[in-house]
Amino acid sequence: MNRSKNLERLQNEQFDICIIGGGASGAGCALDATLRGFKVALIEKEDFAAETSSKSTKLIHGGVRYLEQAFKNFDFAQLRQVRHGLEERHTVIRNAPHLAHPLALITPVFSWFEGFYFTIGLTIYGFFAKNDTMPKAQWLNKKETFEHIPTLTPKLHSSVMYYDGQLDDARYCLALAHSADEAGAAVVNHASITNFEKDSSGKLIAATIKDNLSDKSFSVKAKLFINCTGPHGDSIRLLANPDQEKRLRPSKGVHIMLPPEVLRSQDAMLIPKTKDGRVVFVIPFEGEVMVGTTDDEYRDLDKEPILIEQEIDFLLDTLRPYIAKVPDKSQIKSGFGGLRPLIASSGSKATKKLVRDHEVEYDEKSNLLSLLGGKWTTYRLMAKDTIDEACKLLNNETECTTELHYLIGGENYNFEEWKIIQKKYNLDEDICQHLVKKYGTKAHNVLETSIQTDRIHKDYPFIKAEVIYTVREEMVGSLRDFFARRTRMELMDWKATFNSVDAVAEIMASELNWNEQQTQTNIADYKKLLKNFMQKANVI
């Protein structure tokens, strides 16, 4: 992806569709529309997956909680959401096998009745998953349970094991944007829409864009604008047509990251009930253990939602009945908060009771198409529904082809390729496996870009060549782009990230032509952000 060339295209070409927002839904729409023959621009104000799409629970699932609510409350909207998620699950894994894979989840139970109840429920859950090869749910006895997760409490009776999928959400979103770019879309990050231009009837004909890396502004012309800004969707809707009512009720969810000793397992755990009526997942991710999530209404959209101490207490308390030795706060390595783009209910439901389904809204007055709501697992279906509607508006009858479209790095992927890389470059096993799992068939390209194979930090497999590659090929424009989203180091370990900033900044400065003042400012700003995360969570 070449940002300079794409910026030039935005200023000099007229587009059929301009998509606003580079998260999963926006990048998914960009890929779908481009494959259908549209001339597409994709604009992201920060970085691809910078907000909601990099801060999920990293699961590809229908949602066991939604299934339970569907049956208890005779709520067919919840049931439809489960079915959509499970139908899409196999497609998400198939199209990027380097970034997504099946994951076993263990649900500990404390009585025969609980085991029976969850076995029936998770068997029904699996029944809705057509066309995939996930193993069916099974009831494990106590001995079998401890073979999967040895750190569980000895008080448990048994467990129920079922399967869902796991993905690296930020890199999956990047793969969508990168694949759209490869197919012909003009994809640009760090570019904000500040205003719309309208014709005499009030319909959108252009958008004023500010390049946040240069502070220059320009206009992008398109026949149709699509709003895919997630929790921020109302701001674009109202910018296009101030007479519209707000539709979204964003909610905040947080996760904490703990050391691998908490589980000592490659399998995950589902905690089926919390004191506020949710479920919590305890999941191996990138060698650490991620615990989440919470669900609280969030109104201050101008501020990034971050992990605070009370939320840590809630998640550790939730772990307590299930783990033999509950970790204390000093063992927390990092954490993050994200927002869900929930569509407001006509009643006064709590956010945790709102359906995670999506809606494609067309505003006839402004000609703006908005994709509202949804969740990661159904991103492709959400994009399909949106571009289907765009096709009607632009008189295009081309069918969606994304179901069988491999994302960049995914076609002909073979995990065993890491052994060839190790033999050729004489690198440590964990580095080779990391490169193959994150870049897929492009792993060799990373090492061909640079001979700098030193680790960025001694405890992690990230190498300096990745900094150069991600700047040149993946549009990294800031330190946080690299640490939080191209690698997931910020999510994994705040202190290790803090200690690695200077070394990475030195390489980025050379690649991006930062002068000494720019370099020091970027270092100081990012370190300040990391310190703030640690202080708010009280884990310094």
Side-chain angles (χ1 to χ4, degrees), residues 173-219:
C173 182
L174 175 73
L176 288 167
H178 203 160
S179 299
D181 177 277
E182 193 174 54
V187 174
V188 173
N189 60 354
H190 297 289
S192 303
I193 290 204
T194 58
N195 207 352
F196 283 116
E197 297 173 36
K198 303 174 184 178
D199 65 15
S200 57
S201 64
K203 292 189 171 15
L204 309 181
I205 55 172
T208 305
I209 308 294
K210 178 185 176 186
D211 176 4
N212 296 325
L213 299 184
S214 69
D215 283 338
K216 294 178 181 176
S217 293
F218 55 90
S219 181

Side-chain angles (χ1 to χ4, degrees), residues 230-246:
H232 301 273
D234 281 337
S235 64
I236 298 297
R237 292 173 65 249
L238 295 174
L239 186 65
N241 178 4
D243 296 332
Q244 294 195 96
E245 293 183 1
K246 290 185 176 182

Side-chain angles (χ1 to χ4, degrees), residues 58-60 93 99-103 164-168 283-285:
K58 326 299 182 213
L59 289 177
I60 314 158
I93 295 173
L99 298 172
H101 57 86
L103 177 71
D164 261 322
Q166 183 176 35
L167 83 167
D168 181 336
I283 300 175
F285 183 71

Side-chain angles (χ1 to χ4, degrees), residues 162-382:
Y162 74 104
Y163 281 78
D164 261 322
Q166 183 176 35
L167 83 167
D168 181 336
D169 51 6
R171 287 208 64 88
Y172 204 107
C173 182
L174 175 73
L176 288 167
H178 203 160
S179 299
D181 177 277
E182 193 174 54
V187 174
V188 173
N189 60 354
H190 297 289
S192 303
I193 290 204
T194 58
N195 207 352
F196 283 116
E197 297 173 36
K198 303 174 184 178
D199 65 15
S200 57
S201 64
K203 292 189 171 15
L204 309 181
I205 55 172
T208 305
I209 308 294
K210 178 185 176 186
D211 176 4
N212 296 325
L213 299 184
S214 69
D215 283 338
K216 294 178 181 176
S217 293
F218 55 90
S219 181
V220 172
K221 296 177 182 177
K223 297 174 186 174
L224 180 67
F225 287 85
I226 301 180
N227 170 21
C228 295
T229 54
H232 301 273
D234 281 337
S235 64
I236 298 297
R237 292 173 65 249
L238 295 174
L239 186 65
N241 178 4
D243 296 332
Q244 294 195 96
E245 293 183 1
K246 290 185 176 182
R247 296 288 314 280
L248 298 169
R249 277 183 64 193
S251 79
K252 176 188 178 185
V254 302
H255 297 77
I256 56 175
M257 205 68 76
L258 295 165
E261 294 76 32
V262 171
L263 279 186
R264 299 211 312 269
S265 175
Q266 292 303 306
D267 299 332
M269 174 169 61
L270 166 67
I271 295 176
K273 188 139 189 187
T274 65
K275 60 188 178 185
D276 69 346
R278 286 187 50 77
V279 300
V280 164
F281 294 97
V282 186
I283 300 175
F285 183 71
E286 301 294 307
E288 313 295 348
V289 172
M290 185 174 68
V291 183
T293 181
T294 55
D295 193 327
D296 298 291
E297 191 150 3
Y298 194 81
R299 298 182 184 277
D300 197 353
L301 295 182
D302 292 330
K303 290 184 179 178
E304 177 179 355
I306 63 175
L307 176 70
I308 59 176
E309 193 172 4
Q310 298 95 302
E311 293 163 333
I312 292 174
D313 292 336
F314 170 81
L315 291 173
L316 291 180
D317 285 345
T318 300
L319 262 182
R320 204 170 303 283
Y322 296 89
I323 297 286
K325 185 180 179 183
V326 179
D328 60 39
K329 291 181 185 177
S330 66
Q331 293 176 268
I332 291 172
K333 303 183 77 170
S334 68
F336 58 95
L339 297 179
R340 301 176 189 87
L342 302 176
I343 301 173
S345 166
S346 56
S348 56
K349 287 184 179 178
T351 53
K352 64 175 179 275
K353 292 184 178 178
L354 294 179
V355 182
R356 293 292 302 278
D357 219 340
H358 65 277
E359 178 186 328
V360 180
E361 177 197 73
Y362 177 60
D363 176 42
E364 196 168 345
K365 181 178 179 181
S366 67
N367 198 41
L368 177 73
L369 206 58
S370 292
L371 173 52
L372 306 175
K375 56 184 281 187
W376 236 118
T377 305
T378 54
Y379 86 86
R380 194 198 67 84
L381 178 63
M382 292 157 58

